[in-house]
Amino acid sequence: MPCHCTLPPLACTVKGLRETRDVKVSAAHPTLEAVAAHAGVSRATVSRVVNGTPGVRPELREKVKRSVAELGYVPNSAARSLVTRRTGAVAVVIAEPETRVFADPFFARQLRGISRELSANDLQLLLMLVEEEADYQRVGRYLAGGHVDGTLMFSLHANDPLRGIAAASGLPTVFGGRPWWPGWEQDDSLVYVDTDNRDGARRAVRHLAESGHRRIAVITGPLDQTSAVDRLAGYRDALGLAEPDPALQAHGDFTVDGGARAMAELLDRSPAPDAVFAGNDLMATGALRTLRARGLSVPEDVAVVGYDDLDPAAWADPPLTTVRQDIVRMGEIMARLLVRSLNDAEAPVSSVVIPSQLVVRGSA
Amino acid sequence: MPCHCTLPPLACTVKGLRETRDVKVSAAHPTLEAVAAHAGVSRATVSRVVNGTPGVRPELREKVKRSVAELGYVPNSAARSLVTRRTGAVAVVIAEPETRVFADPFFARQLRGISRELSANDLQLLLMLVEEEADYQRVGRYLAGGHVDGTLMFSLHANDPLRGIAAASGLPTVFGGRPWWPGWEQDDSLVYVDTDNRDGARRAVRHLAESGHRRIAVITGPLDQTSAVDRLAGYRDALGLAEPDPALQAHGDFTVDGGARAMAELLDRSPAPDAVFAGNDLMATGALRTLRARGLSVPEDVAVVGYDDLDPAAWADPPLTTVRQDIVRMGEIMARLLVRSLNDAEAPVSSVVIPSQLVVRGSA
DNA sequence: GAACGGTGTGAGAGCGCTCTCATGCCGTGC
DNA sequence: GCACGGCATGAGAGCGCTCTCACACCGTTC
């Protein structure tokens, strides 16, 4: 395959890549057989020792362990999983629009939590990023092919094909984020982990109300994502109104520009809001920008609360009051649930909702 | 393993996980043997067809393909890699302090590029996050165990053990970011991909000089990272001075707070700077905060340039002039170099440095 | 018409491991 | 002293695949 790098040659310094073959031979991988010969026992016994199966005399066990160490034996995972039908790997499938993934370190945090938990259980993390239609097929084939023992899936959108793919693969699966497709509540094979978006929003709006604000507006995210829907529901809960004033509601799309536009809309309406709950920090940042441009001061003229507690929220001017969610923990719990059902297919596994927490700063 | 989830029971709804065993049986995986029987040919022929080996009569080839489709055959990768000594997987090892990973979407971008390129080559992406000392050993064992065909490594620090681990594994490896250990320039087995930090910094500082600024200061990142060192070097290049005024140089640590502190130091010295080049956007954001707090206006009193072009840079007030680097492309190229040497161990592979680009906004 | 080379196909070994089952050895009970 | 059960160990099959090699069959050549 040719290199498509079109850089000016000056920018490149030529160096050779270490050659695979030679080194591999020098760092030769001894087999079970070799260890057995070295220790003067049978393959079966070495296998028992390596896998910690009981029923081997302690002195023999020690002897084998020494041989393993001496030869630097590492089990061949291909051979092992060929017979055990276990791969020791878990696929993490992320189907996300670029924007979301890039705008915040959500997935880095999530992966951190997942990675910790998986490696604590000697499981490998296979990352599959889905960008286009063809990727879904690739993922489907891969999962159905039995290359992994289980799946962790992230998809924020209604009717994402991922659900079907997971079901077809027959693999234990845990979803990140409350899923959203027709009848999902009846599907008791479904396990998910989510943060408590509704309660977080409730806390945020309640804070605004308790600070004496009367005309509390909301800037919603894209309503085909459960997090946006749940946060809107929390807003309604807090106001105690089944149908809040539609003049106080504007749509953003979880982006800074969307938030800025929505804020402008709200200010042009009547009654003008004296506080705004933005569905995420990005939109809150946009709202702040619009308010600043109009010469309104925060929180005096209009108080602003965001959601997510991204790092930039703290740097904003004024620093953003927002809702924090423990994303690392969310990843950990997802992995933990999967590990549990991997170890015991009959184990009862429940969906988990992680509490959110209000972080009060200068903007409200 | 018990669930350590300490959430109030109310927050959890209990649902069962789909059982593995039953489903797996129903979605039974046919073997090569089964396909061969179905098509009325030998295992060898089916293998040839599946792997696209030439030398099979077209009509037979078609017949086998139909059988494959009909039975839903998917090759067993364990069996295959047992004999081919190829796993079809690449490890991506990331050894990073939490802060860096969380503060910016650097790795999300990088992974995106890597993932694209790998999946285009039917390679799987195995993600290994390194947090503590024990993780290095885990990674070392894993790589030496021959579970992957090659490695992509990220480590920004001098003397990171990762280099030794890569060498010991004997696996083809490409590094992300210019490495930094004694004698690395002599090591011609070393391949890395980096953005042109030095040239980017040069452009940034030159821009400042050309706008008429005379007292251009620099806020440096941690000087045990090559990116920080290279950016400082670019600053010196642009000023054309071997030894710039030490009063105009302050240390940050790539964080917002560090940048704020460094800016305060600079302002307290004499001569006071009329422009600042910050080693990254986070520090530039901190500098902006300090300037605002002191009632200085940007860019009139002090112009500010950052580095990285994070999303928040565009939202800053004023929007940050900064240096953009194509991180997705960096990931792609890393993967491409690795793939090339995977396909042909003798292929000449060169390190690549990706150009950076100045993005002029309001702050300078 | 026999010998030949080329091509397409199948038989079979073997990758490194796990796991069942047979075997040998011990201590115990009658 | 002999039969027995229990335990530690080894022999061997076989997981699903690839790949070498042998073979059969064709058309060509002298």
Side-chain angles (χ1 to χ4, degrees), chain A residues 1-7 11-21 23-24 27 29 74-79 81-82 85 96-98 101-105 108-109 111-112 115-117 119 121 124-131 135 138 141-142 144-149 163 167-174 184-185 187-192 256 282 285 289 292 311-312 314-317 328-329 333 336-341 345-355, chain B residues 1-7 11-21 23-24 27 29 74-79 81-82 85 96-98 101-105 108-109 111-112 115-117 119 121 124-131 135 138 141-142 144-148 163 167-174 184-185 187-192 256 282 285 289 292 311-312 314-317 328-329 333 336-337 339-341 343 345-355:
Chain A
M1 166 183 232
C3 174
H4 298 119
C5 167
T6 56
L7 297 174
C12 304
T13 40
V14 178
K15 314 231 164 139
L17 234 209
R18 173 174 293 269
E19 289 163 27
T20 331
R21 225 160 299 266
V23 181
K24 266 205 176 151
H29 297 181
V74 183
N76 177 315
S77 59
S81 68
L82 181 58
R85 266 81 230 299
E96 280 304 312
E98 302 244 345
V101 176
F102 287 175
D104 71 49
R109 282 204 160 79
L111 283 174
R112 184 70 77 171
S115 161
R116 265 186 210 157
E117 194 66 25
S119 53
N121 287 278
Q124 295 307 321
L125 193 171
L126 225 134
L127 185 65
M128 312 193 81
L129 263 28
V130 176
E131 289 188 277
D135 290 337
R138 184 172 55 87
R141 262 201 317 276
Y142 195 78
H147 305 283
V148 292
D149 298 335
R163 172 57 182 163
S169 76
L171 256 26
T173 301
V174 175
W184 71 273
E185 279 158 310
D187 186 351
D188 59 345
S189 71
L190 182 76
V191 178
Y192 70 87
V256 176
L282 264 35
T285 304
R289 189 211 285 165
R292 193 189 303 131
D311 287 333
W315 325 329
D317 177 35
V328 176
R329 178 126 182 277
I333 293 185
R336 191 171 299 160
L337 293 182
L338 185 63
V339 167
R340 225 198 305 174
S341 64
E346 311 296 317
V349 178
S350 55
S351 289
V352 173
V353 177
I354 296 172
Chain B
M1 161 181 240
C3 173
H4 299 118
C5 164
T6 55
L7 298 173
C12 306
T13 42
V14 178
K15 313 234 164 136
L17 233 208
R18 175 174 291 269
E19 290 164 28
T20 330
R21 225 161 298 266
V23 181
K24 266 206 177 151
H29 296 179
V74 183
N76 179 316
S77 58
S81 68
L82 180 57
R85 265 86 227 297
E96 280 303 311
E98 300 246 346
V101 176
F102 287 175
D104 70 50
R109 282 203 160 79
L111 283 174
R112 184 70 75 173
S115 161
R116 265 185 211 156
E117 193 66 24
S119 53
N121 286 278
Q124 296 306 320
L125 192 169
L126 227 134
L127 186 65
M128 313 194 80
L129 263 28
V130 175
E131 290 188 276
D135 290 336
R138 184 172 56 86
R141 262 202 317 277
Y142 195 76
H147 304 284
V148 290
R163 171 57 181 163
S169 76
L171 258 24
T173 301
V174 175
W184 71 271
E185 280 158 310
D187 185 354
D188 59 345
S189 73
L190 183 75
V191 177
Y192 70 88
V256 176
L282 263 35
T285 303
R289 189 210 284 163
R292 193 188 303 130
D311 287 333
W315 325 329
D317 178 34
V328 176
R329 180 126 181 277
I333 293 184
R336 192 171 299 161
L337 292 182
V339 166
R340 226 200 303 175
S341 64
N343 291 340
E346 311 297 316
V349 178
S350 55
S351 290
V352 173
V353 176
I354 296 173

Side-chain angles (χ1 to χ4, degrees), chain A residues 216-233:
Chain A
I216 305 175
V218 62
I219 300 177
T220 62
L223 295 175
D224 66 336
Q225 298 185 20
T226 54
S227 61
V229 172
D230 292 353
R231 290 170 194 183
L232 177 57

Side-chain angles (χ1 to χ4, degrees), chain B residues 32-322:
Chain B
L32 248 204
E33 189 88 49
V35 178
H38 187 270
V41 296
S42 72
R43 248 180 15 245
T45 299
V46 179
S47 177
R48 278 188 271 259
V49 172
V50 169
N51 294 299
T53 313
V56 179
R57 275 201 341 273
E59 60 264 36
L60 243 196
R61 187 175 287 275
E62 274 316 303
K63 194 172 175 187
V64 170
K65 277 187 175 167
R66 269 199 306 278
S67 292
V68 166
E70 210 162 307
L71 298 179
Y73 170 75
V74 183
N76 179 316
S77 58
R80 176 178 283 172
S81 68
L82 180 57
V83 30
T84 58
R85 265 86 227 297
R86 273 271 211 151
T87 64
V90 164
V92 174
V93 183
I94 301 183
E96 280 303 311
E98 300 246 346
T99 50
R100 172 83 201 241
V101 176
F102 287 175
D104 70 50
F106 192 79
F107 286 108
R109 282 203 160 79
Q110 201 112 255
L111 283 174
R112 184 70 75 173
I114 293 173
S115 161
R116 265 185 211 156
E117 193 66 24
L118 289 184
S119 53
N121 286 278
D122 267 318
L123 253 18
Q124 296 306 320
L125 192 169
L126 227 134
L127 186 65
M128 313 194 80
L129 263 28
V130 175
E131 290 188 276
E132 26 180 287
E133 210 49 44
D135 290 336
Y136 281 110
Q137 305 198 1
R138 184 172 56 86
V139 171
R141 262 202 317 277
Y142 195 76
L143 297 187
H147 304 284
V148 290
D149 298 334
T151 328
L152 260 22
M153 288 200 165
F154 295 90
S155 74
L156 290 180
H157 299 285
N159 295 317
D160 196 296
L162 245 31
R163 171 57 181 163
I165 289 173
S169 76
L171 258 24
T173 301
V174 175
F175 285 85
R178 180 167 73 75
W180 197 24
W181 42 70
W184 71 271
E185 280 158 310
Q186 274 71 53
D187 185 354
D188 59 345
S189 73
L190 183 75
V191 177
Y192 70 88
V193 178
D194 204 352
T195 58
D196 200 337
N197 286 299
R198 186 160 184 166
D199 185 62
R202 222 180 275 141
R203 287 166 195 268
V205 177
R206 206 180 293 143
H207 170 72
L208 253 14
E210 284 166 1
S211 330
H213 297 95
R214 304 285 93 185
R215 298 184 308 284
I216 304 175
V218 62
I219 300 178
T220 62
L223 295 176
D224 66 335
Q225 298 185 18
T226 54
S227 61
V229 172
D230 291 352
R231 290 172 194 181
L232 177 57
Y235 163 81
R236 292 206 178 113
D237 291 351
L239 294 185
L241 304 168
E243 270 315 313
D245 188 344
L248 289 173
Q249 184 167 333
H251 283 283
D253 52 2
F254 273 167
T255 67
V256 176
D257 288 340
R261 268 195 306 275
M263 187 73 244
E265 278 178 43
L266 288 171
L267 290 173
D268 292 341
R269 293 191 199 146
S270 150
D274 59 358
V276 177
F277 166 58
N280 73 354
D281 284 353
L282 263 35
M283 297 195 298
T285 303
L288 246 31
R289 189 210 284 163
T290 296
L291 290 168
R292 193 188 303 130
R294 300 236 181 160
L296 294 165
S297 66
V298 177
E300 293 76 12
D301 297 325
V302 181
V304 177
V305 180
Y307 206 110
D308 285 344
D309 193 28
L310 301 189
D311 287 333
W315 325 329
D317 178 34
L320 201 59
T321 292
T322 186

